[in-house]
Amino acid sequence: LAIRHVENNETSFLGTSEKVELITACCASRDRAFLALAEKCTSEARISIYDLRSGNSGPMKSLKPLGTTGRLLSLAFSAPVEGAGPRYLMASTTGAEATLVLMNWDAEKIMCKCKLPGSVDRLSFPSQPENLQVTASGPNMLRLMQIRHAKGEVSLRVLPAFSNLPEKKILDHSWLEGSRLVVIQESHIHIISAEELQVVRTIEAPFGEADLDEVTPL
């Protein structure tokens, strides 16, 4: 695995085990301090965590959230807490009904799991660490989940679908500042409010001849 610095063009390499057959997903923390790799090995699916600040080429931790079955398709770190780094790492499995796994990666502990009625290929946390929410999207679905703490237990509450958002041909999504998200479809870009659970603006034909300044409220 090669990592290239976009400013100085320096390239570094990270080592992987001979048991790794395929890297199925990767993500970096927002502060670029940690890198997570989802790996398909000969007998299991695992996540290797690298400390990019240490200069070591090997992983600092290896997590096995699925045991000996399944494959991981996407990963995401939560926003880093000042002086402590990201608290959570979330992973999703492949399949028509995705399983989401929320982990305290530093403690190597699975906090909770939940299922979504569709495939998931993108996970995203907001940029504020105190905003305990996470989103998951796939070609035909986008869902917002709240991370809840009660009586020493952690759970994921899946909220209803977003109003006015056609759940088809979704290519990607990401959090913006505050409670807004951007969702990219083949022919539209939507700005969504996580508080109101609805589309607030739409840009039509953003990759064609349309002017990106022509933003139409819905």
Side-chain angles (χ1 to χ4, degrees):
L1 177 69
I3 299 177
R4 185 177 181 181
H5 197 291
V6 296
E7 294 182 354
N8 58 27
N9 289 327
E10 291 183 356
T11 302
S12 58
F13 296 89
L14 301 178
T16 57
S17 168
E18 295 179 355
K19 297 180 180 180
V20 176
E21 297 178 345
L22 187 67
I23 296 175
T24 57
C26 69
C27 72
S29 59
R30 285 181 178 268
D31 57 2
R32 299 297 186 263
F34 301 99
L35 178 72
L37 298 183
E39 301 166 333
K40 179 184 180 297
C41 301
T42 52
S43 60
E44 63 193 4
R46 74 182 183 192
I47 301 171
S48 293
I49 310 291
Y50 293 81
D51 184 347
L52 299 179
R53 302 166 301 181
S54 68
N56 295 328
S57 61
M60 60 180 292
K61 292 180 183 293
S62 290
L63 313 176
K64 302 174 183 178
L66 303 181
T68 58
T69 60
R71 181 185 294 189
L72 299 167
L73 187 59
S74 57
L75 298 169
F77 280 110
S78 61
V81 178
E82 187 174 356
R87 180 178 184 183
Y88 295 117
L89 176 66
M90 178 171 272
S92 70
T93 64
T94 58
E97 187 178 59
T99 297
L100 305 184
V101 185
L102 182 69
M103 294 163 277
N104 181 329
W105 66 273
D106 194 34
E108 302 182 30
K109 181 180 179 180
I110 294 177
M111 308 304 293
C112 61
K113 296 181 180 181
C114 78
K115 287 186 177 294
L116 290 180
S119 62
V120 171
D121 55 23
R122 171 71 163 155
L123 300 166
S124 183
F125 283 89
S127 59
Q128 306 86 5
E130 69 278 3
N131 188 349
L132 297 179
Q133 300 184 101
V134 61
T135 44
S137 70
N140 301 299
M141 180 186 62
L142 173 69
R143 289 294 184 275
L144 172 67
M145 290 152 285
Q146 296 175 338
I147 303 172
R148 296 196 160 188
H149 296 258
K151 299 180 180 179
E153 299 292 329
V154 178
S155 62
L156 285 167
R157 181 194 175 205
V158 182
L159 299 183
F162 292 93
S163 299
N164 302 326
L165 176 67
E167 290 193 314
K168 58 183 180 180
K169 298 182 179 179
I170 295 176
L171 303 178
D172 201 355
H173 82 277
S174 183
W175 284 81
L176 303 174
E177 292 298 322
S179 61
R180 297 292 174 94
L181 299 100
V182 58
V183 180
I184 301 174
Q185 292 180 308
E186 284 190 0
S187 57
H188 296 80
I189 289 179
H190 302 285
I191 306 299
I192 292 180
S193 168
E195 293 179 343
E196 302 172 24
L197 292 180
Q198 67 177 9
V199 175
V200 294
R201 289 185 178 180
T202 293
I203 302 171
E204 297 185 359
F207 309 112
E209 297 179 355
D211 189 342
L212 294 183
D213 292 330
E214 296 178 359
V215 179
T216 306
L218 291 181

